[in-house]
Amino acid sequence: MGEGKPTVLVVDDDGEMRSLLRDGLWSEGYVLREAGDGEEACHVILRAVPDLILTEIHLAAGGVDYINRLRAIVPHCPIVVMTAFGDEQVKAKVFRAGATRYFSKPVHLAELRSCVKQLLGAGSQQVF
């Protein structure tokens, strides 16, 4: 963590999407980390546990198993999942795997910022 500011890990294989999310969250004062796939995200988390993970699930080393791995590594960290390739079955599986929130892409940045702010304000409480 940097200077008491919450750290958010942004995971997406689309560099433009990571940039958009980073820019949208930076204005909120968060310390931002990035990863391009699930394997890189796990390495980043093992070096420094973030306060919240914002991740796509449709990426290399991703999917529902990836959410299970994240939950095992960081059992109390909120995990916000985004995807353009989901449906109600995927959503249900992701929640069973331990996701805290779920967004379908395209994501409305104001809605996402509000969600992140709420989850970080809630500390380690998980809101399903």
Side-chain angles (χ1 to χ4, degrees), residues 40-119:
E40 183 181 358
C42 290
H43 289 295
V44 169
I45 292 165
L46 290 173
R47 283 193 304 268
V49 175
D51 295 297
L52 183 138
I53 300 166
L54 176 61
T55 186
E56 167 68 75
I57 59 166
H58 190 74
L59 41 77
V64 175
D65 289 339
Y66 159 64
I67 302 302
N68 282 319
R69 283 194 317 273
L70 290 178
R71 186 49 67 215
I73 296 169
V74 287
H76 302 293
C77 181
I79 301 171
V80 178
V81 171
M82 312 168 295
T83 189
F85 302 100
D87 57 23
E88 289 303 312
Q89 284 185 328
V90 169
K91 185 176 180 179
K93 287 178 183 177
V94 164
F95 277 125
R96 279 195 302 273
T100 310
R101 294 283 173 88
Y102 178 96
F103 286 90
S104 293
K105 287 183 178 178
V107 175
H108 296 278
L109 199 50
E111 211 176 305
L112 187 62
R113 269 197 307 258
S114 176
C115 172
V116 168
K117 188 175 184 178
Q118 178 188 20
L119 290 170

Side-chain angles (χ1 to χ4, degrees), residues 8-12 18 21-22 25 32-35 54:
V8 176
L9 173 60
V10 178
V11 186
D12 201 302
R18 280 195 320 272
L21 293 168
R22 185 184 61 237
L25 294 170
L32 299 164
R33 305 280 184 252
E34 294 182 45
L54 176 61

